């Protein structure tokens, strides 16, 4: 049975918190001009500022969040002067007084996100995930790092173009400990990429994208299966991923045996200026 409970939510939120903190620390070491930062709220959660996007993770899972904590977050964001809003990611297990405080402060619902979990000992390969002779998947090393980052950035681009800043932003994830990236090639052309991070027998999948001209060929499913096998080989018992509800990615998770653990609600602040 999937552990649809508060303990599981804490583990899922924690792997995201620790990975994002490590990402920011490493980026600052590599590039002193990088402006990412984070604020830890005494084990009540963590708020991140990455470029012009600010978000909070894990709030209300380890004790009540007070109005003074929210004021501290808002002051932190104002000092950065490059985020117009704060987005708090709340689980069903977050302290209920937090939602009331945010609503009274003018925060509004932005969207829902689905959190999926796969219990690896119960997984059976999907026979529909067929790989032909023209498709190969490689584990990314130093030689493939730029090509992988470029491919992933292109996959997320709405106009099939990308910038060096976007590529370096994606490439920074390769410095995370206990993580691995995968690059999918069709013949010799790099067309899709994916990433998995591992912490305490829990793996988290993210940064999955396919360039627009090669979508609809089942490449996301092949990359899901590749990471499932990899996580099992590393001793993971569970694998998690977050998607928007009822989109193609969500359907691919169901197709590969993932179960919906819970939905997160994203609450957005008014302008923080």
């Amino acid at each position: 049975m999937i552990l649809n409970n508060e303990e599981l939510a804490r583990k899922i939120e924690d792997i995201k918190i620790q990975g994002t903190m490590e990402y920011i620390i490493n980026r600052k070491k590599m590039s002193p001009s990088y402006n990412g930062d984070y604020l830890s709220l005494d084990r009540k959660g963590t708020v991140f500022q990455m470029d012009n996007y600010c978000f909070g993770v894990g709030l209300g899972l380890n004790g009540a969040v007070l109005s003074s904590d929210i004021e501290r977050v808002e002051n932190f964001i104002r000092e950065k002067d490059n985020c117009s809003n704060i987005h708090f990611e709340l689980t069903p297990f977050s302290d209920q007084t937090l939602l009331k405080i945010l609503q009274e402060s003018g925060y509004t619902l932005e969207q829902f996100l689905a959190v999926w979990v796969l219990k690896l000992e119960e997984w059976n390969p999907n026979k529909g995930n067929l790989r032909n002779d023209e498709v190969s998947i490689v584990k990314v090393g130093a030689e493939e790092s730029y090509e992988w980052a470029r491919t992933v950035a292109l996959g997320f681009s709405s106009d099939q173009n990308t910038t060096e800043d976007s590529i370096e932003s994606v490439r920074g994830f390769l410095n995370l400990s206990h993580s691995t990236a995968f690059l999918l090639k069709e013949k010799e052309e790099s067309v899709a990429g994916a990433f998995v991070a591992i912490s305490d027998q829990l793996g988290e999948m993210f940064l999955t994208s396919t360039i627009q001209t090669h979508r609809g060929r089942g490449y996301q499913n092949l990359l899901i299966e590749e990471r499932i096998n990899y996580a099992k080989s590393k001793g993971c018992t569970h694998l998690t991923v977050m998607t928007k509800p009822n989109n193609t990615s969500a359907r691919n998770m169901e197709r590969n045996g993932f179960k919906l653990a819970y939905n997160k609600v994203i609450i957005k602040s008014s302008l923080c200026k």
Side-chain angles (χ1 to χ4, degrees), residues 32 85 101 150 157 166 185 216 223 233 250 256 260:
N85 303 93
I101 290 172
R150 188 189 69 83
S157 171
S166 296
K185 294 187 176 186
L223 287 166
S233 75
N256 286 280
L260 180 64

Side-chain angles (χ1 to χ4, degrees), residues 196-213:
V196 62
I198 294 173
S199 175
D200 191 25
Q201 296 184 306
L202 174 67
E204 180 190 20
M205 301 194 307
F206 57 102
L207 286 177
T208 308
S209 75
T210 303
I211 62 175
Q212 188 172 339
T213 53

Side-chain angles (χ1 to χ4, degrees), residues 53-255:
Y53 187 77
C54 301
F55 61 101
V57 181
L59 277 79
L61 283 175
N62 293 290
V65 178
L66 308 177
S67 296
S68 57
D69 295 316
I70 302 302
E71 290 178 9
R72 184 181 170 195
V73 169
E74 291 177 346
N75 289 333
F76 168 77
I77 297 303
R78 288 191 187 100
E79 290 174 1
K80 301 303 173 186
D81 199 35
N82 58 347
C83 285
S84 57
N85 303 93
I86 309 167
H87 304 77
F88 288 109
E89 301 180 7
L90 305 183
T91 75
F93 312 101
S94 299
D95 180 67
Q96 292 301 300
T97 60
L98 172 58
L99 184 58
K100 183 178 180 181
I101 290 172
L102 294 176
Q103 289 174 331
E104 291 175 348
S105 300
Y107 285 67
T108 56
L109 171 67
E110 183 177 57
Q111 64 173 317
F112 291 96
L113 294 174
V115 178
W116 302 88
V117 174
L118 174 66
K119 192 172 183 180
L120 292 177
E121 69 177 20
E122 298 177 352
W123 176 70
N124 292 308
N126 189 328
K127 295 181 179 179
N129 296 343
L130 300 177
R131 188 185 310 183
N132 60 48
D133 292 339
E134 295 183 344
V135 174
S136 61
I137 299 176
V138 298
K139 190 163 68 170
V140 174
E143 292 182 357
E144 299 90 4
S145 63
Y146 182 87
E147 184 66 14
W148 171 80
R150 188 189 69 83
T151 302
V152 170
L154 278 173
F156 286 125
S157 171
S158 59
D159 60 2
Q160 300 186 62
N161 291 299
T162 188
T163 65
E164 288 299 317
D165 285 344
S166 296
I167 293 170
E168 286 308 307
S169 178
V170 173
R171 197 178 187 184
F173 284 95
L174 293 175
N175 294 318
L176 297 186
S177 56
H178 310 296
S179 62
T180 301
F182 296 92
L183 180 64
L184 185 147
K185 294 187 176 186
E186 185 182 277
K187 297 180 180 179
E188 296 301 316
E189 182 183 3
S190 298
V191 298
F195 194 82
V196 62
I198 294 173
S199 175
D200 191 25
Q201 296 184 306
L202 174 67
E204 180 190 20
M205 301 194 307
F206 57 102
L207 286 177
T208 308
S209 75
T210 303
I211 62 175
Q212 188 172 339
T213 53
H214 288 73
R215 292 175 186 169
R217 304 181 188 183
Y219 293 159
Q220 184 178 142
N221 285 303
L222 292 178
L223 287 166
I224 291 170
E225 186 170 289
E226 188 78 18
R227 285 174 291 174
I228 290 172
N229 283 315
Y230 179 79
K232 288 186 70 173
S233 75
K234 294 299 180 180
C236 287
T237 59
H238 293 78
L239 197 57
T240 185
V241 66
M242 190 166 62
T243 73
K244 292 183 178 180
N246 302 318
N247 67 358
T248 299
S249 294
R251 291 188 288 273
N252 282 334
M253 296 311 150
E254 288 188 287
R255 177 182 178 183

